[in-house]
Amino acid sequence: MRPRVILVDDQAMVLECLSVLLGSEFEVVGAFTDGATALAAARELQPDVVALELELPTLGGLDLLRALQTSSPCRAVVVTRHADPQWAHSALAAGARGYVLKDASPEELVAGVRTVAAGGSHVSPAIEALLKGTSETAPRRRGGNLLTTRQREILVRVASGMAGKEIAGDLGIALKTVEFHKARISQQLGLRSRAAMTRYALEHGLAPLRKRD
């Protein structure tokens, strides 16, 4: 009986590619573009493996990993574009059994999922090397690397005391986009207030901007 796999990625094209790559060896029982729907499906379908990206709408990848630990017996493999050891460390700490980069070979992807499905673990060699070179006691400011470029741009402006409309005007984006990214920052980092975001920005070397007169 082939291992049953659920795929989660915010891009439909990526889901199609993963389905083709994994379909010859695994039974793909679901493919979802957001974390909350994927979590509900995992609880219902009880797959052997969930392969997921880290940046997802409605429920971020790290939160999805944590939720899977308590609600489903499946094992999780992160399949991501984030070649950053801090992302990998956070994902593995949240319960991932595998971490495969999207620029890995198809053979590595299949082998990684196979290993995790069998109860083992797999980390892309490039990330494994970076993890070995990253001390657990690295300065806390490295945690800022968990954010995307746009999230860092918004966080430093929040820390500068700018309101949502000001941030939107300064960056030339919609207010809804600003609020979406603020919600993602809050979700990913557990920062529930402006004061918490400001403190995090300062602690991680994300210096606030000087507001223009």
Side-chain angles (χ1 to χ4, degrees):
M1 187 173 181
R2 297 192 299 171
R4 302 168 74 247
V5 178
I6 278 180
L7 307 175
V8 196
D9 195 283
D10 60 341
Q11 298 184 38
M13 184 180 295
V14 173
L15 289 174
E16 290 185 19
C17 292
L18 290 175
S19 294
V20 171
L21 286 173
L22 297 174
S24 61
E25 184 168 335
F26 306 93
E27 182 184 358
V28 178
V29 296
F32 306 94
T33 55
D34 72 276
T37 303
L39 177 60
R43 288 169 172 164
E44 178 182 352
L45 298 173
Q46 298 292 295
D48 299 295
V49 177
V50 173
L52 66 142
E53 175 59 273
L54 289 172
E55 290 195 82
L56 300 169
T58 69
L59 182 67
L62 294 178
D63 286 331
L64 176 56
L65 285 168
R66 297 184 189 103
L68 287 171
Q69 299 305 299
T70 59
S71 62
S72 173
C74 69
R75 301 178 180 90
V77 180
V78 171
V79 182
T80 182
R81 58 186 173 273
H82 289 293
D84 187 307
Q86 294 298 319
W87 273 107
H89 177 75
S90 295
L92 295 171
R97 300 289 293 273
Y99 196 96
V100 181
L101 298 178
K102 284 182 176 175
D103 62 2
S105 68
E107 293 78 13
E108 185 195 336
L109 172 64
V110 174
V113 175
R114 182 191 305 129
T115 298
V116 170
S121 60
H122 175 85
V123 177
S124 285
I127 284 293
E128 190 171 27
L130 290 173
L131 284 172
K132 289 180 179 178
T134 303
S135 170
E136 290 284 344
T137 58
R140 292 184 66 191
R141 68 177 56 244
R142 293 176 65 90
N145 291 334
L146 293 175
L147 302 174
T148 66
T149 298
R150 179 62 82 192
Q151 287 173 335
R152 286 194 292 272
E153 290 173 342
I154 289 172
L155 183 58
V156 297
R157 284 163 175 77
V158 171
S160 303
M162 296 174 68
K165 288 184 179 180
E166 291 179 285
I167 296 172
D170 197 45
L171 294 176
I173 58 178
L175 176 59
K176 286 185 177 180
T177 302
V178 174
E179 296 304 324
F180 170 77
H181 284 296
K182 285 173 65 178
R184 290 296 301 277
I185 292 168
S186 176
Q187 181 184 71
Q188 288 175 212
L189 302 178
L191 306 175
R192 307 305 180 191
S193 67
R194 175 182 290 272
M197 289 187 182
T198 300
R199 184 166 57 252
Y200 182 94
L202 293 171
E203 289 177 349
H204 292 83
L206 303 175
L209 300 174
R210 291 187 176 182
K211 295 183 67 174
R212 292 189 285 269
D213 296 330

